[in-house]
Amino acid sequence: PPSRGAYCTMFAPAQLPYTATAALLMSLQPILVSLSKNEAGGFDYSVPASTMLSELLKLLLSSGLLLRQMATCAPSELLSEQPWAEMLSYSLPGLIYFVNNNCLFFILQEVDPTTFQLLSQMKTLFTGLLFRLFLRRRLSTVQYLALVTLACGTAVSQLPTYRTEAGVTLVHKSSSSLGFLLTLLSSSLSALGGVYSEKLLKGRASASIHWQNVQLYLWGVAFNAIGVYTEDRQALLGPGILQAFHARAWAVVLCNALNGLAISAVLKYADNIARVYAHAIAMMVTMLASLRLFDVPISPQLALALVLVAASTLQYNLPPEWLRPLPMEEEEEELRGASNDPEATKLISSDEPNDDSARGSGLGGGVGPLGHGLGSSAASTQAAARNPPKR
């Protein structure tokens, strides 16, 4: 079986920087989006334009890194045998991320950042199902139970909180039904996009990640440009779509762009399990930051849900050898000493009766003296056969 270090590749020196960076950017993303809202809870800037600018920034960064890489390798080494078919294959994750990135802004109008991070852990459930359906990865019983625990944790987070003020019972719901449904949609899209992207990124392992990102973000820019033209046509023809962008809005654009690049590196050099771990870490960081920034109370339902989600995430990713019972140290030492001691080995082997002695003792125990006599005569016959009389 693989060792712990070989199984948990996300903690290896080569993969840990990508996982840690993705966790940090994932925790900043909902916080920056919430800080960029106006007093009414909406956005002064264009949401489709924000996602398009993030895709454009990712494309520019990936193109710059690709040009630097091309200085040391031939362009023909970057292309596959069917470059146009490969380019078209990146359109599906581009469309998925286009829908998911725009959903994020509407979700955070309905729920607070901590609840959003908690409900987003449902992507673990969808990832496990998609692993089984599309990548043919089998799940163990422990992993299926972890998915059930995850579903319970997200359900607990939706239980209303009751408190009494001046003799009146007030009910506070952690999030709206629309926010809950949009988060489920976002989680399923995130899992689908992650699984499909991992398949594409690892399908041609020798390909440059920067060239693969360029193909993906070309489609992202195209889809988001259509969204900007559809939703903000008047702003494009008017004073300009970038006029309402303030410092916090640009911080959201930068964070989303860097987050996309980090997740791509995690899928290329680790896997979706590492991405799940990064989301779990980001959930904890977002919860602690929200206590100070947004005065979000930690209700008993939310605290219990956090424990269930964290336990489910760890249980789902446990290496198989961690679940096997280990022998006690005393038993190991005793067995090791017995194997090295010839006398102990002889005693152990003598305690195991052979078939003949077992049959003799059975007769003696069953019929008393007669059995004893039969056993003695059988023993005498065997001795006589071994030592025949001399003539």
Side-chain angles (χ1 to χ4, degrees):
S3 62
R4 296 183 182 183
Y7 188 87
C8 301
T9 55
M10 69 194 74
F11 300 124
Q15 287 81 22
L16 183 59
Y18 304 116
T19 307
T21 303
L24 176 62
L25 294 172
M26 287 177 191
S27 61
L28 288 176
Q29 185 184 41
I31 293 176
L32 292 176
V33 172
S34 296
L35 291 175
S36 66
K37 292 190 294 187
N38 53 31
E39 296 180 355
F43 299 99
D44 295 327
Y45 57 92
S46 170
V47 171
S50 177
T51 55
M52 189 197 70
L53 290 172
S54 296
E55 295 295 317
L56 182 60
L57 181 56
K58 287 188 284 188
L59 178 61
L60 294 176
L61 292 174
S62 299
S63 300
L65 295 173
L66 179 62
L67 290 176
R68 189 181 69 173
Q69 186 180 24
M70 289 177 62
T72 59
C73 66
S76 58
E77 299 178 3
L78 301 175
L79 301 178
S80 64
E81 298 179 355
Q82 298 178 336
W84 292 110
E86 184 182 34
M87 175 71 73
L88 289 175
S89 65
Y90 283 89
S91 61
L92 179 57
L95 177 61
I96 293 174
Y97 291 137
F98 160 68
V99 176
N100 191 33
N101 291 336
N102 284 277
C103 281
L104 173 66
F105 292 88
F106 298 103
I107 291 172
L108 290 173
Q109 286 182 318
E110 302 292 332
V111 301
D112 57 82
T114 302
T115 305
F116 166 73
Q117 290 284 26
L118 180 66
L119 296 178
S120 295
Q121 297 307 305
M122 285 294 291
K123 65 174 59 72
T124 305
L125 172 62
F126 296 117
T127 300
L129 296 177
L130 292 176
F131 272 6
R132 185 69 179 90
L133 294 176
F134 296 104
L135 300 182
R136 302 301 180 185
R137 298 187 183 180
R138 303 181 66 87
L139 300 180
S140 64
T141 304
V142 174
Q143 289 176 316
Y144 279 116
L145 292 176
L147 298 181
V148 174
T149 305
L150 178 65
C152 294
T154 53
V156 168
S157 69
Q158 295 303 299
L159 295 177
T161 301
Y162 296 89
R163 57 189 178 90
T164 303
E165 290 185 2
V168 179
T169 301
L170 303 177
V171 179
H172 172 70
K173 296 186 67 176
S174 57
S175 63
S176 65
S177 299
L178 177 60
F180 180 73
L181 294 177
L182 287 177
T183 306
L184 289 181
L185 174 62
S186 175
S187 298
S188 60
L189 291 176
S190 177
L192 178 59
V195 171
Y196 191 80
S197 296
E198 181 182 349
K199 184 177 181 180
L200 290 177
L201 291 171
K202 293 181 177 178
R204 199 159 65 93
S206 60
S208 168
I209 185 175
H210 308 307
W211 169 238
Q212 292 174 318
N213 284 338
V214 166
Q215 297 178 87
L216 176 62
Y217 300 140
L218 276 173
W219 287 105
V221 171
F223 286 127
N224 283 278
I226 296 174
V228 170
Y229 181 78
T230 303
E231 297 293 331
D232 300 315
R233 186 183 309 174
Q234 297 299 326
L236 289 173
L237 301 176
I241 200 170
L242 302 179
Q243 186 176 3
F245 276 77
H246 43 75
R248 293 180 178 179
W250 285 112
V252 172
V253 172
L254 178 61
C255 181
N256 287 340
L258 296 178
N259 188 29
L261 293 174
I263 292 178
S264 179
V266 169
L267 295 178
K268 175 75 171 181
Y269 301 114
D271 52 23
N272 270 284
I273 300 302
R275 186 174 68 100
V276 170
Y277 263 109
H279 275 287
I281 298 172
M283 177 186 66
M284 302 300 177
V285 175
T286 301
M287 180 194 70
L288 296 176
S290 298
L291 292 175
R292 299 291 301 273
L293 295 175
F294 306 108
D295 295 328
V296 177
I298 301 298
S299 64
Q301 290 89 333
L302 185 58
L304 179 58
L306 287 171
V307 172
L308 290 174
V309 170
S312 171
T313 304
L314 293 175
Q315 180 183 354
Y316 181 83
N317 295 282
L318 279 178
E321 63 269 19
W322 287 20
L323 303 175
R324 297 174 183 151
L326 298 177
M328 299 180 62
E329 295 182 359
E330 295 80 2
E331 295 179 357
E332 290 181 342
E333 292 295 335
E334 182 180 351
L335 293 175
R336 190 180 299 112
S339 62
N340 296 330
D341 187 0
E343 295 297 330
T345 306
K346 186 183 300 183
L347 290 175
I348 293 175
S349 60
S350 64
D351 290 339
E352 298 177 357
N354 54 33
D355 295 337
D356 295 335
S357 61
R359 285 192 294 267
S361 61
L363 291 170
V367 294
L370 180 60
H372 178 72
L374 290 173
S376 301
S377 62
S380 302
T381 304
Q382 293 178 359
R386 286 195 299 265
N387 301 308
K390 296 182 180 181
R391 294 175 179 260

